[in-house]
Amino acid sequence: MAIRALYSSATGMAANSFNLDTIANNLANAGTTAYKQNRANFEDIFYEHFKLPGVQDNQGNITPTGTDLGIGVRVQSTEGDFSQGSIVPSNGTYDLAIVGDGFFQVNDGTQDLYTRAGNFTLNANGNLVMASADKGYLLQPNISIPQDAINVTISGDGVVSYQQQGSTQIQIAGNIQIARFINNQGLLRQGDNLYTETTGSGNAQIGNPGTEGRGQLRQGFLEQSNVEPVRELVELIKTQRNFELNSQVVQAADQTLQTVTNLRRF
């Protein structure tokens, strides 16, 4: 039985180590624009059944319980929390926050990607792009702002308008659209605050902000990370304690095996 305890506690240590990595990543991104926290889910592993419930005993009675023994735990999945982060003012003309469900659609030159981070800026061609350390991801559909544009405004339903110097006429640059997915949990995280769609997420449903369940836009605001540091610290302490308990089981099982091994000396 001590051998099983060694294996079971080893899986517990591995699972808690994975959970520790997940918590560390959440805390590292507590200040990342529109980051959505991740949660590790676990499941118990295969059971060895020594006696099944509901069988007859020696006297013909039905046994109400059985005897079984599990062999540990494993990571079942990681689940993203897509709840709304805090909306805070940034005063940036091209900073946008989605209040409600939805994602901005951007393109890296080869494929469409999706993000909640609305820290947009203009590139050298006057196109709206999501700023990144590596490259600028072009907003889709493309929105182009002339160099002499002033009083750029973005309405809640995504209409981008501006005036040109020396003119009072309102010009329309385009309409920002956002995407919805039937299952946000199925999106694949790519880094750079970006996601790609998968068969698990379903196809992107593109439309105007404020329609068919899509959130509305707020200009001059950014969505903050939805990580709650206090809760993550509590989970960190629990994970650390669980890891220590599993390590103590390893030590106890090892001592038991040593005792059994030393029996042959008597």
Side-chain angles (χ1 to χ4, degrees):
M1 298 300 289
I3 294 294
R4 290 192 183 92
L6 282 173
Y7 281 110
S8 295
S9 54
T11 64
M13 293 174 69
N16 280 284
S17 178
F18 184 91
N19 196 35
L20 183 64
D21 293 339
T22 303
I23 295 170
N25 186 59
N26 286 338
L27 288 172
N29 286 282
T32 300
T33 302
Y35 173 79
K36 301 303 179 186
Q37 70 174 2
N38 239 2
R39 182 189 73 197
N41 297 322
F42 305 95
E43 62 184 7
D44 49 357
I45 310 180
F46 177 78
Y47 281 78
E48 183 177 358
H49 298 279
F50 302 98
K51 181 179 179 181
L52 295 175
V55 299
Q56 290 184 346
D57 60 15
N58 295 333
Q59 299 179 355
N61 298 318
I62 301 298
T63 56
T65 59
T67 305
D68 55 40
L69 183 64
I71 58 173
V73 63
R74 64 184 174 190
V75 179
Q76 180 195 61
S77 63
T78 52
E79 183 177 344
D81 177 7
F82 285 87
S83 61
Q84 181 85 56
S86 300
I87 305 297
V88 297
S90 65
N91 299 321
T93 302
Y94 302 108
D95 286 341
L96 296 172
I98 300 175
V99 183
D101 190 20
F103 298 82
F104 297 106
Q105 182 179 357
V106 297
N107 190 280
D108 64 353
T110 59
Q111 64 177 334
D112 288 331
L113 303 113
Y114 305 91
T115 181
R116 293 278 300 187
N119 50 318
F120 294 104
T121 187
L122 297 180
N123 64 9
N125 298 320
N127 298 318
L128 271 179
V129 295
M130 189 189 81
S132 171
D134 296 325
K135 64 172 71 174
Y137 295 93
L138 195 65
L139 180 66
Q140 299 294 311
N142 184 32
I143 303 293
S144 181
I145 307 294
Q147 187 175 3
D148 61 347
I150 58 174
N151 299 328
V152 178
T153 60
I154 303 174
S155 65
D157 56 359
V159 177
V160 182
S161 59
Y162 63 90
Q163 292 177 301
Q164 290 181 299
Q165 292 182 359
S167 174
T168 58
Q169 185 177 359
I170 302 297
Q171 304 287 337
I172 303 298
N175 197 98
I176 296 176
Q177 296 184 322
I178 60 176
R180 285 191 71 205
F181 296 90
I182 193 169
N183 175 31
N184 291 339
Q185 305 292 344
L187 291 170
L188 184 64
R189 295 177 186 245
Q190 296 289 347
D192 291 343
N193 290 338
L194 297 169
Y195 303 85
T196 54
E197 68 177 41
T198 68
T199 53
S201 66
N203 295 328
Q205 303 169 12
I206 310 296
N208 293 330
T211 63
E212 298 179 336
R214 300 176 186 88
Q216 290 192 319
L217 303 183
R218 292 196 67 179
Q219 183 183 15
F221 288 80
L222 287 174
E223 181 183 5
Q224 300 298 291
S225 169
N226 67 352
V227 172
E228 297 181 15
V230 173
R231 186 172 68 179
E232 293 298 319
L233 288 173
V234 171
E235 289 298 320
L236 177 63
I237 295 172
K238 288 172 56 180
T239 300
Q240 184 180 11
R241 295 295 177 265
N242 288 337
F243 189 93
E244 291 174 353
L245 289 172
N246 279 280
S247 66
Q248 290 176 9
V249 173
V250 171
Q251 295 174 358
D254 178 61
Q255 292 173 2
T256 301
L257 289 173
Q258 288 182 10
T259 301
V260 172
T261 301
N262 293 333
L263 288 177
R264 64 190 178 94
R265 299 178 180 178
F266 297 98

